[in-house]
Amino acid sequence: MQEIKKALFVKSSAQMADCPEPNLPEYAFIGRSNVGKSSLINLLTQQNHLAKISTKPGKTQLINHFLIDEAWYLVDLPGYGWAKVSKTEKAKWKKMVNEYFEQRQNLYNVFLLVDSRHEPLQIDLEFMQWLGENGIPFSIVFTKTDKQGKTKTQQNLAAYKRVLRKQWDELPPIFATSTVTGEGKSDLLQYIRDINNSVKN
Ligand code: GDP
């Protein structure tokens, strides 16, 4: 597997207009708070503290850009679904994220993270629906597969797909990951690499 060699924090932006020049392919990571997004970004980039692992709600909601191997941007988007977030904060999140998704020209794929232990949640399904309706390419990344046995993970994923099939004719690409075992890391990196290569050619 070709690992990421260099990952640099570029900037945090409070709005789409402040994001770096859209001159490289970009991949965004998003999901409910606590889904394991920071851990996954750190696993992919092989840096322990690149994305901040935090279980505290109410952090400033920022779009974080990381430059990977001087070739593409990895974007850490603020999580959603905090229980104790005010309506104003939720509205701010929505405006920022919607603007980003609707306008970011160099966005090649969104990785939507969902916890492999949970049943499909309305908030995630609605978000996928919105991405689909807006023509934004996305993949589903199941996280924390090490938290249960392999069979249980497979059962959960199969159940999730059954629910998705009610909503979609064609399922998006699906990845199963664990930051404990490293499962899914090479698949995700390969997926990104393939898209980057197809853009270059
Ligand atoms: P974020 O809020 O989505 O960025 O989630 P974090 O990366 O901060 O992770 C939330 C919690 O889940 C932390 O306690 C992590 O250590 C834990 N976690 C994240 N990924 C995994 C995983 O793959 N396996 C296990 N067992 N725990 C994980």
Side-chain angles (χ1 to χ4, degrees):
M1 183 202 8
Q2 214 182 328
E3 304 263 5
I4 284 177
K5 291 190 191 75
K6 202 167 155 193
L8 288 177
F9 168 72
V10 180
K11 74 183 290 196
S12 297
S13 314
Q15 52 179 354
M16 155 66 201
D18 300 333
C19 289
E21 283 291 305
N23 52 4
L24 290 172
E26 184 157 307
Y27 299 85
F29 289 74
I30 195 164
R32 287 177 74 237
S33 50
N34 244 347
V35 70
K37 178 167 53 75
S38 313
S39 308
L40 185 68
I41 292 173
N42 291 337
L43 174 81
L44 292 175
T45 57
Q46 305 182 97
Q47 295 200 18
N48 288 337
H49 306 291
L50 198 63
K52 291 193 188 67
I53 299 180
S54 166
T55 48
K56 274 197 229 103
K59 287 180 291 182
T60 325
Q61 306 235 298
L62 295 167
I63 302 169
N64 295 305
H65 273 82
F66 302 99
L67 177 63
I68 309 298
D69 292 337
E70 285 158 18
W72 55 279
Y73 285 123
L74 185 158
V75 175
D76 182 6
L77 291 171
Y80 53 87
W82 290 113
K84 285 183 193 152
V85 162
S86 69
K87 268 196 181 153
T88 326
E89 280 298 309
K90 276 186 196 154
K92 249 170 79 182
W93 176 87
K94 201 166 184 179
K95 181 172 181 288
M96 179 172 94
V97 167
N98 283 6
E99 224 173 59
Y100 170 83
F101 284 133
E102 284 164 359
Q103 296 175 20
R104 192 71 176 156
Q105 306 144 16
N106 57 333
L107 178 65
Y108 279 79
N109 195 57
V110 177
F111 292 103
L112 174 58
L113 276 57
V114 296
D115 195 316
S116 64
R117 294 170 298 173
H118 299 158
E119 310 238 304
L121 297 169
Q122 201 54 33
I123 193 166
D124 292 327
L125 296 174
E126 278 170 15
F127 192 57
M128 287 176 209
Q129 184 76 30
W130 185 87
L131 289 170
E133 280 166 9
N134 286 276
I136 297 154
F138 71 94
S139 317
I140 302 175
V141 178
F142 288 97
T143 62
K144 309 189 188 183
T145 57
D146 61 282
K147 290 253 190 184
Q148 71 248 318
K150 280 209 170 87
T151 314
K152 182 73 184 143
T153 299
Q154 275 166 8
Q155 284 169 354
N156 287 0
L157 264 59
Y160 210 105
K161 287 183 198 170
R162 275 199 294 279
V163 173
L164 289 176
R165 282 202 187 89
K166 291 184 192 155
Q167 201 170 315
W168 305 89
D169 292 335
E170 214 180 300
L171 295 189
I174 287 173
F175 299 91
T177 68
S178 160
T179 59
V180 172
T181 65
E183 183 187 1
K185 176 182 174 182
S186 56
D187 291 344
L188 272 175
L189 290 178
Q190 192 57 49
Y191 185 72
I192 292 172
R193 205 156 282 130
D194 286 346
I195 300 179
N196 284 342
N197 287 336
S198 72
V199 175
K200 258 191 266 165
N201 299 329

